Amino acid sequence: MRIVLLGAPGSGKGTQTDAIIQRYGVVTVATGDLLRAEVAADTALGQRAKPFMEAGELVPFDIVLGMIENGLQALARTHPKGFMMDGFPRDLAQAEALDKLLAKINQPLDVVLFFEVRYEEIVKRLLGRGRADDNEETIHNRLRVYEEKTAPLIDYYTRKGLLRTIKGTGSIEEIGERIRAVLDEIA
Ligand code: AP5
């Protein structure tokens, strides 16, 4: 199964990935985690990405696409049960690039899970988490960037018939059940 997790920062995508991996045997590709690992290792890529991440801006297209291209081609070979993208695509250019890449390796998406959560709830969650980019100013910029660049993907994937909306409030278990209901139907 090939899944994209779509939703604002703090909508709970990362929190649900372990349960999805365990149940469906997919592997996860989380661009935020990949980028944070590059920053922590102080690589050239990490040094380029860091100021964008600290400001809550999207990291430039070429950096992210390079990471995804290398990763996905290898994953398609090593993980026949499929993959789940968390944090990618994040704008229309990335979505179109992903479509092209997946068409090339003959692995089209099966579903896009859109986590719907109100912004007031998100700000509360992120201020309580305390990651390096979870300060008030950066959170508001991340939400602004999400609204402007990522939210148009809701329409993009709706038009492709791939979008399924998951109500992202309630307990982690309740949200997990909503996700299972959708994915069991597709699997
Ligand atoms: P990224 O790592 O993707 O972070 P993000 O977008 O800010 O998303 P989060 O990881 O914060 O949200 P989440 O939905 O996973 O929420 P979580 O489950 O953690 O990106 C970081 C940066 O990297 C970007 O700003 C950008 O600079 C760069 N980047 C990444 N990908 C990129 C790309 N493709 N292109 C360009 N740049 C890119 O939950 C959040 C909190 O809520 C947690 O504390 C959790 O415990 C809590 N929580 C979860 N579920 C619930 C619940 N049901 N009830 C109460 N609390 C809950």
Side-chain angles (χ1 to χ4, degrees), residues 10 12-15 31 36 57 59 87 90 94 129 131 142 170:
K13 305 177 297 295
T15 302
T31 44
R36 276 185 291 279
E57 295 290 334
V59 168
R90 260 209 157 69
Q94 291 186 8
R129 181 175 63 176
R131 203 170 73 192
R142 279 154 64 198

Side-chain angles (χ1 to χ4, degrees), residues 84-176:
M84 170 171 54
M85 316 281 308
D86 172 5
F88 183 93
R90 260 209 157 69
D91 61 15
L92 280 170
Q94 291 186 8
E96 285 165 1
L98 180 65
D99 283 346
K100 270 195 205 139
L101 181 63
L102 294 180
K104 204 164 79 185
I105 59 175
N106 204 16
Q107 303 271 323
L109 289 176
D110 294 305
V111 66
V112 175
L113 298 177
F114 166 54
F115 288 62
E116 196 174 42
V117 182
R118 290 191 10 231
Y119 288 173
E120 303 88 81
E121 163 77 12
I122 282 175
V123 173
K124 214 165 62 189
R125 285 184 188 181
L126 293 182
L127 285 175
R129 181 175 63 176
R131 203 170 73 192
D133 56 350
D134 285 340
N135 60 76
E136 198 140 5
E137 192 186 337
T138 306
I139 290 170
H140 282 109
N141 201 39
R142 279 154 64 198
L143 288 173
R144 189 190 57 72
V145 169
Y146 168 79
E147 189 66 43
E148 185 190 329
K149 300 196 167 153
T150 313
L153 298 185
I154 298 168
D155 272 355
Y156 179 85
Y157 286 120
T158 300
R159 282 198 304 273
K160 288 180 178 285
L162 290 172
L163 195 97
R164 301 291 294 263
T165 299
I166 304 290
K167 186 178 158 221
T169 45
S171 72
I172 289 168
E173 292 71 27
E174 281 167 340
I175 297 163

Side-chain angles (χ1 to χ4, degrees), residues 33-102:
D33 292 344
L34 295 174
L35 288 165
R36 276 185 291 279
E38 298 282 347
V39 171
D42 201 25
T43 62
L45 194 155
Q47 286 173 9
R48 251 188 95 196
K50 192 175 177 192
F52 294 95
M53 297 174 78
E54 282 176 349
E57 295 290 334
L58 296 185
V59 168
F61 184 72
D62 62 310
I63 296 185
V64 178
L65 196 67
M67 287 192 327
I68 291 289
E69 270 176 348
N70 298 338
L72 270 189
Q73 303 211 18
L75 286 180
R77 285 192 299 272
T78 55
H79 288 79
K81 291 201 167 169
F83 56 79
M84 170 171 54
M85 316 281 308
D86 172 5
F88 183 93
R90 260 209 157 69
D91 61 15
L92 280 170
Q94 291 186 8
E96 285 165 1
L98 180 65
D99 283 346
K100 270 195 205 139
L101 181 63
L102 294 180

